[in-house]
Amino acid sequence: MSQAASRSLQAIVKNREFDPAYYIHGEDEYQKEAAVRQIADAAIDPAGRAFNLEVRRASELDAESLDVLLSTMPMFSERRVVVLQDPSVLKKQTRSVLDRYLDAPAPGTSLIMVAAGGKSDRALMERSVELRFDPLPPARVIKFISHHARETHNASITPAAAELLHSVVGSDLHELATEIDKLASYASGGEIDEAIVGDVIGVRHGETLGDFMDALVDRDAARALGMLSRLLAQPKTTGVSIVMVLANQTLAMAWGRAKLDRGMSVTSLEREYIGLLQSAGWLMLPKSFGAAAKVWARATEDWSAESLDRSIHALVAADVALKDTRFASDEQILAGLVLSICASGSSRLAA
């Protein structure tokens, strides 16, 4: 839905034709904030912005204050924008004021209602222009990285550097924007390449979470163990987050193994993996869907259903242990997990 919302948003800003009410929801807070900012910037004359932009939390409003907020006319501008955060928490009497307003909205006002987190209110959605922003899939995250560097800093970033940044930081657009700001400053107008990403973030190609996943797929315990301490030192990387990514990978490969066991050819499996990732919206992968599908398709034949099942049980046990700090450090628990997964017998050997 994010692509459709982005197209709608672009049309709103380009045509400067504003509706009385918008309902912005979804799980990607960065895109939601950007949408509010873009609509407000396009709708309000800069000279009158201080008088014509109101941002209020619904929890802070009673019926009277909301009525005043919505009935105030624009000053020094053709249009006024009211941003109402988390309208679902309005009390009954205050919600009645909002409902009456939506029946007959003020002609010079655009009300932007922003749902919190993954919440949605069907009644408000149906009476407004809906804009839904979900987390971006990996391919669009890479595009965001290049776009943000170019539009915000007039900087360029190589595809390899963008992939490396994504593999380390993940798909959180707030975090990515912060890191891109640092990288652009460090590059001082030059192109951002892998070396600069390594210098600023402290990780090199071959040391990312995506590389760690590949090492486990190949049962390369020595390589995986050699990355652990560096992985855990990366921003927002924890033992639990690593286990969650590995669980996604293992479950996907178990699904692929079942396809092979039912007669699917190995050559068809990569396409099937891409379809699975796209349909399921598995966004906790630190690599593109295509890159993940290629590795899994290559390796699935070497994993038996039983070995994948043992790996899933090892992942569950590691998750429990990581959430109980009495057992060991994250690195010790993950090291044990690596050895358990890599010790699983291959389907060819089992045969």
Side-chain angles (χ1 to χ4, degrees):
M1 184 70 179
S2 289
Q3 276 189 302
S6 295
R7 287 193 292 269
S8 298
L9 179 61
Q10 289 171 5
I12 292 167
V13 172
K14 179 180 179 181
N15 299 329
R16 295 185 179 274
E17 295 177 356
F18 305 101
D19 287 274
Y22 298 92
Y23 188 83
I24 298 177
H25 67 119
E27 302 212 1
D28 195 302
E29 297 300 324
Y30 185 94
Q31 293 183 82
K32 287 157 63 178
E33 292 168 13
V36 170
R37 186 168 58 251
Q38 289 179 52
I39 294 172
D41 288 347
I44 304 171
D45 187 319
R49 186 180 181 87
F51 303 100
N52 295 293
L53 177 61
E54 291 276 0
V55 181
R56 301 292 295 274
R57 294 186 179 277
S59 59
E60 300 171 349
L61 299 171
D62 56 21
E64 182 180 359
S65 60
L66 179 60
D67 185 49
V68 171
L69 186 68
L70 295 174
S71 61
T72 302
M73 299 298 291
M75 293 179 63
F76 311 115
S77 178
E78 293 183 2
R79 182 159 293 273
R80 185 167 177 270
V81 172
V82 175
V83 180
L84 183 62
Q85 302 279 5
D86 197 10
S88 64
V89 303
L90 289 172
K91 294 181 179 178
K92 185 176 181 180
Q93 187 176 3
T94 313
R95 175 60 181 260
S96 297
V97 172
L98 176 60
D99 290 337
R100 287 197 301 271
Y101 175 81
L102 291 173
D103 289 335
T109 297
S110 285
L111 171 63
I112 304 176
M113 295 170 283
V114 185
K119 295 180 183 177
S120 61
D121 186 312
R122 178 59 60 182
L124 294 179
M125 202 182 302
E126 291 174 349
R127 304 173 74 185
S128 315
V129 173
E130 178 197 2
L131 296 171
R132 173 179 166 181
F133 295 97
D134 293 320
L136 299 179
R140 291 192 64 205
V141 173
I142 298 299
K143 291 181 179 179
F144 167 82
I145 291 171
S146 297
H147 180 270
H148 185 80
R150 181 176 63 254
E151 297 299 319
T152 306
H153 301 286
N154 195 30
S156 62
I157 181 168
T158 67
E163 290 275 3
L164 180 58
L165 179 62
H166 174 226
S167 69
V168 176
V169 179
S171 297
D172 186 313
L173 301 188
H174 279 294
E175 289 292 324
L176 284 168
T178 298
E179 296 303 328
I180 293 166
D181 295 345
K182 297 177 187 175
L183 292 168
S185 176
Y186 186 89
S188 300
E191 185 176 58
I192 302 168
D193 58 17
E194 287 180 278
I196 289 176
V197 174
D199 290 342
V200 174
I201 300 182
V203 66
R204 302 288 179 182
H205 184 72
E207 300 177 351
T208 68
L209 183 52
D211 297 314
F212 182 73
M213 293 167 64
D214 293 349
L216 289 182
V217 166
D218 294 332
R219 294 189 182 84
D220 190 339
R223 183 180 170 215
L225 291 171
M227 296 183 206
L228 266 181
S229 60
R230 293 190 294 276
L231 281 179
L232 289 168
Q234 292 172 15
K236 286 199 166 184
T237 300
T238 65
V240 171
S241 68
I242 290 174
V243 166
M244 290 177 70
V245 171
L246 294 178
N248 276 345
Q249 172 169 270
T250 307
L251 289 168
M253 289 182 64
W255 177 88
R257 180 69 253 179
K259 290 280 187 181
L260 292 181
D261 290 342
R262 287 196 294 268
M264 176 175 285
S265 67
V266 174
T267 54
S268 301
L269 193 55
E270 182 174 343
R271 183 176 64 252
E272 290 294 312
Y273 272 135
I274 291 175
L276 171 69
L277 291 167
Q278 290 174 337
S279 64
W282 286 3
L283 301 170
M284 288 193 64
L285 294 177
K287 56 167 68 179
S288 70
F289 289 168
K294 185 174 183 178
V295 171
W296 297 346
R298 166 181 60 76
T300 300
E301 193 178 19
D302 291 329
W303 287 79
S304 67
E306 293 77 15
S307 63
L308 288 163
D309 187 59
R310 286 194 295 271
S311 294
I312 291 169
H313 280 88
L315 285 160
V316 172
D319 184 62
V320 171
L322 286 165
K323 292 170 181 175
D324 188 338
T325 56
R326 293 175 301 173
F327 284 104
S329 69
D330 282 13
E331 185 170 353
Q332 290 171 323
I333 293 168
L334 289 174
L337 175 63
V338 166
L339 295 174
S340 295
I341 291 175
C342 292
S344 298
S346 76
S347 61
R348 290 175 179 169
L349 291 174

